[in-house]
Each structure stands twice: as C-alpha cells, then as structure tokens.
Amino acid sequence: MTRLRGDDPRLATAAVAGLLVVAALLGGAADVFPGGRPAGGAGTTTTAPAPPPGDAAPAPAVVAVAAGSTPSASAAAPSPTTAAVASGTPVPAGARRTVRLALALRSRPGDAAVEVAATASGFAPRGLDAATGGLTPDAGIQAVHVDFGDGTQENHLDGAASATTVCTKGAPLGVLAVGSVLRHSYARPGRYTLTYSLSTCANGSAQARTTSRDLVVRVSEPPTAADGVALGLREASPGGDRVVEVSATAYGTAPRGVDPGTGRTSAHAAVVGVEVDFGDGTLDDSPGAGVRCDPAAPAGTLSFTDTRRHTYARAGRFTVTYTLLTCTPGGSGPLPTTRTVEVTIR
C-alpha cells in the first residue's frame, strides 16, 4: 500500500471524489452546488447536529417540516371560536355584555324565615384589582345590594370579588358566574318584594352598571298558640350536611319584662331565655336580655327570630328541640314554648 503525504496533490483529488460519492448517495451531486434544490424538501426531517467532543450528548431533537415552511417554536394558534382570558374562564368569540339574574325561593312558602337562591350569569368587563394592579380573571363585580322589602337592606359581595375591585375603561370581557343564598326572617305576616341588585362594570367605561331582579315573598299568619306565643322551627341548612342550622320565629303576645337595674318595663314582650337540644347530647342555652318577670307587667307584642348552628360528629337522624322562654302571664316565672324538627345527617 502506498502512503500519501499531507502535501501530495493526489490526496486533495481523493477527497473531492469522496465528497461527490456522498452527495450522489444523498440524492444527486447537484444538491450541493448553487442552483440546486434547497435541502429539506417536502416531508423531510431535520435532526439536530451532534455536540462537540467532550459534551454530554442530549437526545436528538427531531422537528417535522412541511413543504414550503420553516420550523417554529411558537404554540399553535387558539381556536377561532374562543378568545383566551388570562387565568380566567374562556370567553366565546363575539360575546357581548350580558347579565342574567335569577331568584328562587328555597324555603317553604309562607314561612317567616325565608331562604332565597340568587344566581348571576353572562359576560361583563373584567375589573381592576387596586391591590395588585392587574385585571380580575373573570367579570368584575362592584357590589351586591339586597332589599328585603321590610326596611332591611344589605350591602355585600357574597365572596364574589374583592372590595378593592374597580372598573377600568377598555377592559376585556370576563365570564360572570355568581351564586349565593340569602336568608332573612320577617317579623310580621304580609306580602314583601325582595329586590336583588348586582353591579358590574359597563362596556368602554370606568363606571358600574346595575342589574336588578324582584321576587315576591308572602309570609302567612302563623297559628295562634293557647299561651299567646306562636313558635315556628325549621332546618335552614341543606339536608344531610354535618353542619346544621335551625331557624326559629316567634309571634304573639306575652308579658313585658322589667329591667332589674332601672325598674323600667320593656317596650315589648320579654324573652328570658332560649334552650336548644340538638338530640346528640349537646345543649345550647342562653339567657335573655337581662330582664325579670313581674306579675304586674302588662302584655306586649312578641316578634322574635333566632338561628342556631351545630356540627354533628356522626351520621344519623336527630330530633332538635327548641324551647323559647317568655314570662308567664300574672306570674314571676318563665313560660316555655317548644317546637321540634327532625334532621338527617349522612
């Protein structure tokens, strides 16, 4: 075998010949010269080059390239039917500001202790969180106002948004989805109009816009008890929950109380105590407003509402016994009025 020196011209000739052979095997020598077709034609695959000697060899990155296109690291474009809302629920393309309110009575018709489910849905501009300086992920809620129709009003947000949320001009739409339960006890029978108002941001403005719905609530006259006190008791919480709420409402007439310190007679009937037996060995009792009974005290109007909460440790069926203590007519001792309600714990 003949050895070629590094400066031998035959070595360069052999190198060129070897290059032409390799080019022919890859699809034609014309491809390696100017004027040939570009490397990476239709349906070809490009493999990342090997690392320099001494580096750890990573797994080869293979990128499929379609004809006439170049590889791209960008993510696929979003679907044309939705517009992405950062960290919020996607809003359909073409959506407009829409606020739908619904009110539904959940308590028994005629009861003085009323429970109403309020829901809001639709789309409204997102709000600006003054604490963080960023937009809320969904529709911005300014306030929730409830007028129960008997002079009682509430202003709150029902946990739907931060109190620091403000409207900002040009904010994009966000999804509106709010659900809450309103609870209220009416002192007298009658017909009441409950008004629920939700304030959300207006389009193209830094101002809020209010949407309202009404619900007519009818409270029936409770039966008159022999002792002058009519007591109603109901479970106010969803059935089956370990945490139970019972709501009591009392009407009627009963003797007024006397303030031990001043000797003055109360303006209304006195409640001297409440006792609640939850049926699992737990007794919740509380004294009244610090008054005593006096045989000479005149009768007064009784209007009383109370809600008690208890957590059961086990499943089962329990009898809740609620006892209201008022003054005995013509006597100095308390007069109990009792009602019961069955609760089932799953």
Side-chain angles (χ1 to χ4, degrees):
M1 175 181 294
T2 303
R3 293 182 178 270
L4 298 178
R5 294 172 49 188
D7 56 354
D8 194 314
R10 289 176 296 174
L11 182 61
T13 302
V16 172
L19 178 61
L20 292 175
V21 171
V22 172
L25 292 175
L26 291 177
D31 289 345
V32 300
F33 294 100
R37 64 178 178 86
T44 63
T45 299
T46 304
T47 304
D55 291 349
V62 179
V63 182
V65 181
S69 64
T70 58
S72 174
S74 61
S79 168
T81 60
T82 62
V85 178
S87 71
T89 307
V91 176
R96 297 182 178 181
R97 185 187 185 280
T98 306
V99 178
R100 295 181 293 270
L101 293 183
L103 300 176
L105 184 67
R106 287 179 36 168
S107 53
R108 187 174 58 186
D111 280 1
V114 170
E115 192 171 274
V116 175
T119 57
S121 60
F123 308 99
R126 294 157 64 185
L128 183 67
D129 190 328
T132 65
L135 291 175
T136 57
D138 295 307
I141 297 176
Q142 293 298 292
V144 175
H145 179 80
V146 184
D147 186 339
F148 290 97
D150 64 346
T152 304
Q153 299 186 19
E154 293 181 359
N155 289 288
H156 52 85
L157 286 173
D158 286 349
S162 169
T164 60
T165 300
V166 296
C167 296
T168 180
K169 187 175 181 180
L173 290 180
V175 172
L176 176 65
V178 180
S180 59
V181 176
L182 312 175
R183 294 184 176 92
H184 180 65
S185 293
Y186 290 91
R188 296 177 180 83
R191 183 181 184 273
Y192 302 92
T193 299
L194 185 153
T195 303
Y196 181 94
S197 301
L198 179 70
S199 297
T200 56
C201 296
N203 280 335
S205 171
Q207 303 298 317
R209 184 176 174 183
T210 301
T211 305
S212 300
R213 285 292 178 273
D214 293 339
L215 177 69
V216 175
V217 178
R218 292 179 173 84
V219 178
S220 302
E221 182 74 40
T224 302
D227 56 13
V229 177
L231 175 64
L233 183 67
R234 59 180 291 272
E235 182 181 1
S237 53
D241 287 357
R242 292 290 178 101
V243 180
V244 169
E245 281 188 356
V246 292
S247 178
T249 306
Y251 302 103
T253 58
R256 301 179 186 182
V258 176
D259 188 323
T262 64
R264 295 180 179 178
T265 302
S266 61
H268 303 285
V271 174
V272 297
V274 171
E275 297 177 355
V276 185
D277 185 343
F278 288 97
D280 63 347
T282 304
L283 181 64
D284 180 4
D285 59 345
S286 58
V291 298
R292 62 177 175 83
C293 297
D294 189 328
T301 302
L302 177 65
S303 178
F304 175 82
T305 58
D306 183 32
T307 299
R308 299 296 171 108
R309 175 178 290 188
H310 177 63
T311 301
Y312 287 89
R314 66 183 189 278
R317 186 173 180 82
F318 303 90
T319 300
V320 179
T321 303
Y322 189 100
T323 302
L324 178 68
L325 301 175
T326 56
C327 292
T328 302
S332 58
L335 177 67
T337 303
T338 300
R339 291 292 180 271
T340 61
V341 64
E342 299 288 332
V343 296
T344 301
I345 309 300
R346 299 186 181 91

